[in-house]
Every structure is written in structure tokens, then in C-alpha cells.
Amino acid sequence: MKITCLHTAQSHVEGMTALFANQGWDGALEHVVRPDLLARAQSDGIDAVAQDVGAVLADCADANAVLCTCSTLGALVEASGTGKAVRIDRPAMEQAASYRNVMLAICLESTRAPTVALFEDCAKGREPVVVLCDGAWAHFEAGDMSGFNRAVAQSVGAAMIGAPETACIVLAQASMQGAAPYLMDMGVPVLTTPRLAVRRAIKIARQ
């Protein structure tokens, strides 16, 4: 058995490898890293990379499951129609949909539309509060994960002041999971995407 992960940042490889091992995956694990796809999606729009994403998925035809860790590309990967593709944020969104008032935190504007569309699909049309953690991504690109996590937490904390009815926070991009410990005193559940998605990818691969 084999699972292939499609990443748009090299920094995801080590963490996802450890997470799969932690979840008991004993099959092969392949990582495909394509930062160029995210860069082009940000500059030219998601449709500009649809053909290239399709080509990447065609190259993954021998995998038992494919996990896309990029929220911007997730909808394209899921729409591949193979039945074995997992987008990193769907399991968390399905869980979040059980809460009445949900706050989605994102770090990239290119992620907004696919993230919101996914949540509204899972929540039968209910709209979330969306927080763009402006400025956090520069820390991520510089490899400053401590600064990135703090910047995300600060943005979410500030947004919570204006949305006291929030019942659940979703850190909607895989890269944001490190900010969760900084938000434990918010008094509401804080969901991250990687662990739930890894569990689903393993389940699909083993079927």
C-alpha cells in the first residue's frame, strides 16, 4: 500500500511523515512538493493550475490514497473524481459543521474561496466568520514558525473580541496547527486539519 502527499511547501514533509507514523501507517509514503502550484494559483487564479494539478494526480495513479495538504489546491484535487483523493481540510470542516457559530482562520487570500465553500457545503449553507491572519505568512515563508504561530494566534485572539458568540475555531490551513496551543485559553474548541486528514487517508488506503 502507498499514500502520496501533495505539498506546496517542503516544510510539511517532516511533520506529515511523523504524523503518519504516529497514526500507525506502515505502508509506503511518498511526498510530492510543488510550491510553484501555490505561487501560480495566488498570482493567476486557481484555474491556471488545474491542468498541472491533474498531471500530478495522474502521476500518482499507483497510490492507494492521495492527500493534498494545500487548502488552496484542495478542491481541485478532490474534484479529480478518483475517490481516493483527500483534501486536508474536509474532515475538520465536517466536524466544525456541528457547531452553530464557527470562525475560520486562514493565512492566504487564495485560500478564502475554497475554504469557505467547503465549510458551507459541510454546514448546509451556514456562513462562517473568516479571519485573514494578515502578515503571518511572511513568517512562514522565512521559516520563522514561532513567529508565524504567534501571529496567527494574535489575529484570531483579536477577532474573538469582536465575535464572542464563536463556538469553534478552525485553523483552516495545515501550516497553522502550531498556533493551536496559543489559543487553548479561548474557551472554545480549536480544530486543526492534519491529524483528521491523515486518519482519513489511511482509512481510504486500507479499504
Side-chain angles (χ1 to χ4, degrees):
M1 292 185 294
K2 182 172 83 170
I3 294 175
T4 298
C5 294
L6 171 58
H7 310 291
T8 52
Q10 180 67 34
S11 58
H12 289 314
V13 172
E14 182 178 355
M16 294 302 290
T17 298
L19 190 51
F20 270 98
N22 179 264
Q23 294 299 310
W25 176 246
D26 54 2
L29 185 63
E30 178 184 46
H31 298 282
V32 177
V33 183
R34 292 290 302 272
D36 60 300
L37 295 177
L38 177 58
R40 285 174 51 211
Q42 289 178 275
S43 62
D44 303 330
I46 191 68
D47 291 342
V49 298
Q51 186 173 352
D52 285 346
V53 169
V56 171
L57 294 176
D59 290 340
C60 300
D62 62 335
N64 300 97
V66 177
L67 173 59
C68 176
T69 63
C70 176
S71 298
T72 298
L73 302 182
L76 285 178
V77 172
E78 193 175 58
S80 65
T82 64
K84 62 182 182 180
V86 180
R87 58 186 292 179
I88 190 78
D89 43 4
R90 179 172 285 281
M93 294 299 182
E94 290 174 351
Q95 186 170 327
S98 64
Y99 294 90
R100 175 55 54 184
N101 297 300
V102 175
M103 178 179 289
L104 302 183
I106 61 174
C107 290
L108 292 173
E109 188 60 43
S110 63
T111 298
R112 183 187 297 269
T115 297
V116 171
L118 174 60
F119 176 78
E120 291 180 350
D121 178 61
C122 294
K124 303 187 185 307
R126 283 191 292 110
E127 296 182 359
V129 172
V130 181
V131 178
L132 176 63
C133 301
D134 198 25
W137 196 249
H139 292 282
F140 181 84
E141 292 183 316
D144 176 16
M145 293 308 297
S146 178
F148 174 71
N149 294 333
R150 289 196 302 271
V152 169
Q154 288 169 0
S155 293
V156 173
M160 283 287 287
I161 296 174
E165 72 283 1
T166 298
C168 176
I169 299 167
V170 182
L171 301 180
Q173 294 171 230
S175 55
M176 303 170 76
Q177 64 177 332
Y182 294 91
L183 297 168
M184 290 297 103
D185 60 352
M186 290 289 103
V188 300
V190 179
L191 303 182
T192 59
T193 61
R195 189 177 304 276
L196 295 172
V198 164
R199 289 174 180 172
R200 180 161 300 182
I202 291 174
K203 181 179 180 180
I204 289 173
R206 287 176 172 168
Q207 287 177 344

